């Protein structure tokens, strides 16, 4: 099994941080409980797809967003690559990838503690990023890809009281239930990040942090597109 992990990790981490050879670009969106990253990711993917076509290069390239709902489908493609990759322990490797996919696709991701699964999970996130033109929602992608060039790590935050009130409205629950939900999800996400990178996340892990309580989705998206242009992560157009 160790042979698979080392070999697979080497093959999927197709970026060279020394030379800056990284296919990208990639956007990650991290969020506190109560902040809706999925809506932003969906709209941003459509805008960036159109922007690629209008750029100087006239690149007809689709941006895709990836979250827990379609992660399992993405991993299935990787499973096929493993099956044809000539690994001695293919069956066990496929089993591990499928386990990571199932965990990623629901809240059990936060219960992962096996170091081999965590390492494989990190590799899958790197593979998604290396595909380029990808928006990854949650799942600690921002901290995993912190040192990767050609990326933008976005964080959505909001005051606790605002998030509690929003969860009360979205889930139609009492204030006490909303408080418990917000705190539980924040704790689970913080704990998972520690498992993945060995420490708590901090502001330095993100390129920009938005106050979701005071901004509209379109304002956040406009700012992200502007930053991507200024950092030359996406091409300019006249």
């Amino acid at each position: 099994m160790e042979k698979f992990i080392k070999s697979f990790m080497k093959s999927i981490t197709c970026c060279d941080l020394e030379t800056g050879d990284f296919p990208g670009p990639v956007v990650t969106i991290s969020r506190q409980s109560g902040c809706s990253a999925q809506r932003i990711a969906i709209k941003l993917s459509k805008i960036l797809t159109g922007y690629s076509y209008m750029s100087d290069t006239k690149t007809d390239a689709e941006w895709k967003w990836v979250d827990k709902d379609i992660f399992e489908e993405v991993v299935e493609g990787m499973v096929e690559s493993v099956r044809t990759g000539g690994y001695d322990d293919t069956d066990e490797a496929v089993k591990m990838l499928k386990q990571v996919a199932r965990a990623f696709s629901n809240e059990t991701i936060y219960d992962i503690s096996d170091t081999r699964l965590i390492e494989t999970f990190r590799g899958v996130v790197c593979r998604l990023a290396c595909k380029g033109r990808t928006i990854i929602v949650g799942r600690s992608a921002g901290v995993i890809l912190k040192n990767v060039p050609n990326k933008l790590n976005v964080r959505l935050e909001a005051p606790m009281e605002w998030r509690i009130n929003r969860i009360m409205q979205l889930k139609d629950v009492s204030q006490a239930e909303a408080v418990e939900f917000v705190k539980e999800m924040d704790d689970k996400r913080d704990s998972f990040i520690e498992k993945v990178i060995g420490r708590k996340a901090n502001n330095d892990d993100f390129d920009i942090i938005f106050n979701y309580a005071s901004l509209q989705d379109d304002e956040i998206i406009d700012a992200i597109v502007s930053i991507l242009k200024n950092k030359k992560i996406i091409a300019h157009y006249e």
Side-chain angles (χ1 to χ4, degrees):
M1 197 63 228
E2 298 303 322
K3 177 184 176 183
F4 159 72
I5 292 177
K6 291 180 181 179
S7 179
F8 183 63
M9 284 295 293
K10 182 178 180 181
S11 68
I12 63 178
T13 310
C14 53
C15 55
D16 188 330
L17 296 182
E18 293 184 1
T19 64
D21 181 17
F22 183 77
V26 60
V27 175
T28 72
I29 305 179
S30 171
R31 78 287 192 205
Q32 290 182 320
S33 180
C35 301
S36 298
Q38 180 173 312
R39 290 199 320 234
I40 290 176
I42 293 172
K43 189 166 185 177
L44 181 62
S45 67
K46 294 177 180 178
I47 290 175
L48 292 180
T49 295
Y51 196 93
S52 294
Y53 181 73
M54 291 187 292
S55 69
D56 295 335
T57 59
K58 296 296 185 294
T59 304
D60 190 6
E62 182 183 4
W63 276 74
K64 295 183 178 180
W65 70 279
V66 181
D67 79 340
K68 63 183 180 181
D69 295 326
I70 63 174
F71 184 85
E72 189 165 4
E73 176 184 336
V74 173
V75 172
E76 281 298 325
M78 298 179 186
V79 167
E80 292 304 313
S81 298
V82 169
R83 284 176 172 154
T84 59
Y87 296 104
D88 294 334
D89 44 7
T90 297
D91 290 342
E92 190 173 356
V94 168
K95 182 179 179 181
M96 177 171 287
L97 277 172
K98 286 182 174 292
Q99 188 173 348
V100 169
R102 285 193 298 272
F104 191 103
S105 299
N106 56 61
E107 300 308 320
T108 61
I109 186 70
Y110 302 119
D111 299 326
I112 287 182
S113 58
D114 188 307
T115 56
R116 296 183 306 169
L117 286 175
I118 290 174
E119 194 66 14
T120 302
F121 166 75
R122 287 168 55 93
V124 172
V125 171
C126 288
R127 177 64 175 271
L128 288 169
C130 286
K131 285 179 174 294
R133 297 186 179 89
T134 303
I135 302 167
I136 307 176
V137 175
R139 296 312 191 249
S140 303
V143 293
I144 292 173
L145 302 173
K146 176 184 178 181
N147 295 319
V148 168
N150 209 23
K151 65 90 181 71
L152 184 70
N153 285 344
V154 176
R155 172 77 169 169
L156 305 177
E157 296 186 354
M160 175 67 80
E161 183 178 356
W162 184 91
R163 294 192 289 133
I164 291 171
N165 289 333
R166 190 157 195 267
I167 291 298
M168 289 173 62
Q169 295 174 0
L170 292 175
K171 294 184 173 295
D172 191 22
V173 296
S174 67
Q175 184 179 42
E177 291 172 316
V179 169
E180 182 179 0
F181 177 84
V182 168
K183 289 184 176 179
E184 181 181 1
M185 291 306 302
D186 284 350
D187 289 345
K188 282 184 175 181
R189 288 169 180 166
D190 290 344
S191 176
F192 183 65
I193 288 175
E194 280 198 76
K195 292 177 185 178
V196 171
I197 63 172
R199 62 169 174 80
K200 293 182 180 297
N202 54 57
N203 288 350
D204 292 341
D205 292 313
F206 307 101
D207 298 302
I208 183 166
I209 300 175
F210 292 101
N211 181 354
Y212 195 78
S214 63
L215 294 168
Q216 299 295 318
D217 287 358
D218 286 347
E219 293 172 328
I220 294 174
I221 291 168
D222 287 346
I224 291 174
V225 173
S226 178
I227 293 169
L228 290 171
K229 288 193 297 182
N230 291 333
K231 290 175 69 68
K232 295 181 170 59
I233 296 175
I234 58 175
H236 284 261
Y237 71 90
E238 298 298 331

